[in-house]
Amino acid sequence: MKLLLDIGNSSVNWASEKKSQFFSQGSFIYDKNNFENSLEKNISLTKNVSKILVSNVAGLEIFNSLGSWVKKHGPLELWQSCVEKKFKGLKTSYSETQQMGIDRWLSMVAGWEKHQSSLCVVSCGTALTIDSVDSKGNHLGGYIVPGIDLMQKILIANTEKININIGNNPSIDYASDTKTAVNNGAFFASVSIIDRVVNKLSTELGGMPKCIISGGNASLIKPLLEHRFEYEPNLVLRGLLIAHNTSI
């Protein structure tokens, strides 16, 4: 049995896998100052786990903390994915692959493996990322902007008179108070860039791409979008498993 970890900038998504089936899974916000403790509290490593697969965008310190936690539980193999130039016809546009977040790459890997078609892949986490792929597997490039929560935090932290808590109410309606205006503005900005990219890509391709959305805020953003998106809550984990199985 394998344990799959998608370590983001503020949270971890995980799943236990056997024979390509996820049979237990979850997510949690972690303490950046004590990552080992967060792992210990939220994940139970049983004797059935023989290998841990990792997607990590949180940096070397977090990965080293993971390694220390794993060593306390016995001789488990730790496999970390990295961005490749090519995967089964999918080709990244980055000349320096180490600059691309592994979560973005694995999301595209999962989408390409499943659909083998043009893609618009959106991830709604701490950052909002959008990646475009044509029907030949060419990664055309992407966008990275602050996510819903981060957008609001930046605005609140850098303005004198906006002294509110961040909101998480999915709405793009006109607002008549400051807190609602900040909340709805963040959602409207996110929805607008996603829909604009889909419009741009469909015009360039001469047809609608397969649109996939994932990430912690995906379920909030999806109903507000003009275009139809497929919600894939474990997209990075599925890409991680595919990348691992292809490498062995």
Side-chain angles (χ1 to χ4, degrees), residues 135-201:
S135 60
K136 295 181 180 179
N138 298 306
H139 176 226
L140 304 177
Y143 302 92
I144 305 173
V145 297
I148 294 289
D149 296 344
L150 184 57
M151 202 181 302
Q152 295 180 70
K153 288 178 181 177
I154 291 170
L155 183 61
I156 293 167
N158 290 280
T159 49
E160 184 66 29
K161 293 186 177 181
I162 301 180
N163 185 19
I164 59 172
N165 295 321
I166 66 169
N168 219 5
N169 179 39
S171 174
I172 56 175
D173 292 338
Y174 292 116
S176 55
D177 64 84
T178 299
K179 182 175 181 178
T180 306
V182 171
N183 175 90
N184 294 12
F187 273 96
F188 208 160
S190 298
V191 168
S192 296
I193 188 173
I194 294 170
D195 279 332
R196 180 66 182 270
V197 171
V198 175
N199 288 338
K200 180 179 184 292
L201 182 58

Side-chain angles (χ1 to χ4, degrees), residues 82-239:
C82 63
V83 179
E84 305 286 350
K85 288 294 291 181
K86 296 180 180 179
F87 171 82
K88 294 186 178 181
L90 177 67
K91 300 172 283 292
T92 179
S93 65
Y94 276 40
S95 56
E96 298 182 25
T97 56
Q98 69 274 15
Q99 290 189 1
M100 175 179 281
I102 185 62
D103 53 345
R104 291 171 62 196
W105 174 248
L106 293 176
S107 293
M108 287 188 281
V109 164
W112 181 255
E113 176 81 352
K114 183 176 180 179
H115 300 288
Q116 296 281 308
S117 67
S118 57
L119 301 169
C120 179
V121 182
V122 177
S123 177
C124 308
T126 302
L128 172 67
T129 65
I130 310 172
D131 284 287
S132 299
V133 178
D134 69 16
S135 60
K136 295 181 180 179
N138 298 306
H139 176 226
L140 304 177
Y143 302 92
I144 305 173
V145 297
I148 294 289
D149 296 344
L150 184 57
M151 202 181 302
Q152 295 180 70
K153 288 178 181 177
I154 291 170
L155 183 61
I156 293 167
N158 290 280
T159 49
E160 184 66 29
K161 293 186 177 181
I162 301 180
N163 185 19
I164 59 172
N165 295 321
I166 66 169
N168 219 5
N169 179 39
S171 174
I172 56 175
D173 292 338
Y174 292 116
S176 55
D177 64 84
T178 299
K179 182 175 181 178
T180 306
V182 171
N183 175 90
N184 294 12
F187 273 96
F188 208 160
S190 298
V191 168
S192 296
I193 188 173
I194 294 170
D195 279 332
R196 180 66 182 270
V197 171
V198 175
N199 288 338
K200 180 179 184 292
L201 182 58
S202 61
T203 298
E204 293 171 349
L205 298 177
M208 186 62 64
K210 179 65 181 179
C211 298
I212 306 170
I213 192 168
S214 66
N217 285 323
S219 61
L220 300 177
I221 292 175
K222 180 179 178 289
L224 303 175
L225 294 168
E226 173 187 335
H227 298 287
R228 183 178 180 180
F229 272 78
E230 178 181 315
Y231 175 48
E232 288 278 3
N234 294 314
L235 194 64
V236 173
L237 294 178
R238 296 206 175 278

